[in-house]
């Protein structure tokens, strides 16, 4: 395992650790107060870009899969914001 792969793994753990509490809070409170769809879309785009780099640049299936999971969670956040905004 290279240093870049190790740092990327740590970054993904931190990234997922930051996304999940936000989603849980939105679902529990049934409110998307203060959440910006554009910010989540930018996060999703960043995760998609990193998935590409990790898969084709580093040939790391695990890291690219975790990026895709994080991107999917960003898309879930956008759907929650859209659904909860009308309330």
């Amino acid at each position: 395992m290279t240093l870049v792969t190790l740092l990327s793994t740590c970054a993904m753990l931190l990234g997922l650790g930051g996304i999940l509490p936000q989603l849980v809070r939105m679902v529990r409170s049934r409110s998307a107060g203060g959440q910006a769809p554009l910010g989540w879309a930018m996060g999703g785009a960043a995760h998609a870009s990193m998935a590409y780099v990790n898969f084709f640049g580093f040939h790391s299936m695990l890291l690219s899969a975790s990026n895709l999971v994080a991107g999917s969670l960003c898309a879930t956040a956008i759907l929650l914001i859209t659904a909860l905004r009308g309330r």
Side-chain angles (χ1 to χ4, degrees):
M1 183 179 284
T2 65
L3 178 61
V4 172
T5 307
L6 182 63
L7 291 175
S8 186
T9 303
C10 291
M12 280 312 303
L13 291 173
L14 289 172
L16 290 173
I19 292 171
L20 290 174
Q22 291 292 325
L23 293 178
V24 170
R25 184 173 182 188
M26 278 192 274
V27 170
R28 284 187 180 163
S29 68
R30 297 181 192 265
S31 171
Q35 300 290 324
L38 178 60
W40 284 102
M42 291 171 65
H47 286 294
S49 299
M50 285 305 301
Y52 177 82
V53 168
N54 284 325
F55 187 76
F56 292 106
F58 297 116
H59 307 291
S60 176
M61 182 67 83
L62 181 62
L63 289 176
S64 61
S66 64
N67 286 117
L68 292 175
V69 168
S72 298
L73 291 174
C74 288
T76 301
I78 293 169
L79 292 174
L80 280 172
I81 292 167
T82 304
L84 296 174
R85 186 172 275 171
R87 292 183 176 204

